[in-house]
Amino acid sequence: MKKIVIFGLGMIADVAYHHIVRDSAYEVCAFTCDREWLAAAADSNVGRLGLPVLDFDEIERFHPPDQYAMFVAIGYHDLNGLRAEKCRAARRKGYELVSYVSPRADCGSWVRVGENCLILDGVGIQPGVTIGDNVSLWNNSLIGHHSEIGSHCWIAAGTTFGGKARLGERCFVGLGATIGGDLAIGAESFIGAGALVTKDAAARSVFVQRDTDLFRLDSQAFLRITKLATIGGSSR
């Protein structure tokens, strides 16, 4: 089994670790982070997992790249730019960047996935799809046939892409968004939760769906009224 080091201390590293260990995808031997974050390691998500947390500047002394690979597990800060930079830094040190594809994802041998990808349970990837490097695809997303997902993207849970959709590099796609088929969205675009995109969009486009209006009653008043209405409707 390939031995790896996970870059990151936060919740994303915690999620990646538990999925990798659950499926015995790799042997996780340590975590690493930038030096300024080491003091926070004991109180972090990964600080409670019993593995060493090491200075990234010196990581090759303890886990050399000819014996260990790496997975960069941090969020979508700066439209995934920070994660992209840490991937480049790991490669400069000579590390292979591995990907995790859940065995519970619905995808066949046709899928082409780049390095440092995180593809979680329930993701559906249809034939003809290409996934770039450093893409995070969260639970129950659907990538339609012959679509292209550019490198360094973050696609939140429940997102749907139609067939032949093309997403540029360093995009963020929020929870439950829908991207129509046969269209292209430019790099560094932000698509908020629940948004619907059905036409081509230029680079750095922003789509934000309005929140549902707040109801005028609080929850207790609302429940009293709806309970009375239900009882009245069912008993008479």
Side-chain angles (χ1 to χ4, degrees):
M1 184 185 301
K2 184 171 290 187
K3 297 181 179 181
I4 70 166
V5 176
I6 294 177
F7 186 108
L9 292 182
M11 291 181 286
I12 306 306
D14 189 48
V15 169
Y17 169 84
H18 282 96
H19 281 82
I20 289 168
V21 169
R22 179 194 68 181
D23 298 326
S24 300
Y26 307 105
E27 180 183 350
V28 181
C29 299
F31 292 87
T32 188
C33 64
D34 293 328
R35 184 171 298 167
E36 60 265 30
W37 294 98
L38 284 174
D43 296 325
S44 71
N45 292 282
V46 305
R48 296 183 291 273
L49 297 175
L51 292 174
V53 180
L54 305 172
D55 183 351
F56 182 68
D57 286 343
E58 301 179 343
I59 188 63
E60 58 267 48
R61 289 179 48 204
F62 304 98
H63 297 286
D66 60 342
Q67 299 177 38
Y68 296 84
M70 191 171 290
F71 182 79
V72 178
I74 56 179
Y76 46 85
H77 316 282
D78 188 27
L79 275 179
N80 307 291
L82 178 61
R83 197 172 69 257
E85 172 52 36
K86 297 308 178 184
C87 286
R88 289 190 289 268
R91 286 197 298 268
R92 287 194 295 267
K93 287 177 175 285
Y95 286 97
E96 173 194 359
L97 294 175
V98 299
S99 288
Y100 167 80
V101 179
S102 170
R104 296 163 178 80
D106 181 13
C107 55
S109 58
W110 55 75
V111 68
R112 290 176 288 170
V113 175
E115 63 184 20
N116 207 76
C117 290
L118 180 70
I119 299 177
L120 296 182
D121 299 356
V123 171
I125 302 177
Q126 295 180 346
V129 170
T130 300
I131 308 290
D133 297 330
N134 190 31
V135 172
S136 294
L137 260 171
W138 288 71
N139 303 70
N140 302 318
S141 297
L142 172 65
I143 311 299
H145 63 89
H146 301 94
S147 291
E148 299 176 12
I149 306 299
S151 296
H152 318 301
C153 286
W154 185 281
I155 298 173
T159 300
T160 299
F161 282 76
K164 294 181 65 180
R166 298 175 301 286
L167 186 68
E169 294 190 355
R170 284 186 58 193
C171 288
F172 172 88
V173 184
L175 292 164
T178 299
I179 313 300
D182 200 14
L183 57 75
I185 296 172
E188 299 182 38
S189 291
F190 183 97
I191 301 170
L196 172 64
V197 182
T198 61
K199 297 179 181 179
D200 291 351
R204 299 186 177 181
S205 293
V206 175
F207 297 87
V208 179
Q209 177 69 14
R210 177 181 173 181
D211 286 352
T212 301
D213 291 337
L214 178 67
F215 198 64
R216 61 184 179 81
L217 300 177
D218 67 23
S219 58
Q220 294 301 313
F222 175 77
L223 290 173
R224 283 196 300 271
I225 290 175
T226 54
K227 184 177 180 181
L228 287 171
T230 302
I231 292 173
S234 61
S235 61
R236 288 182 173 84

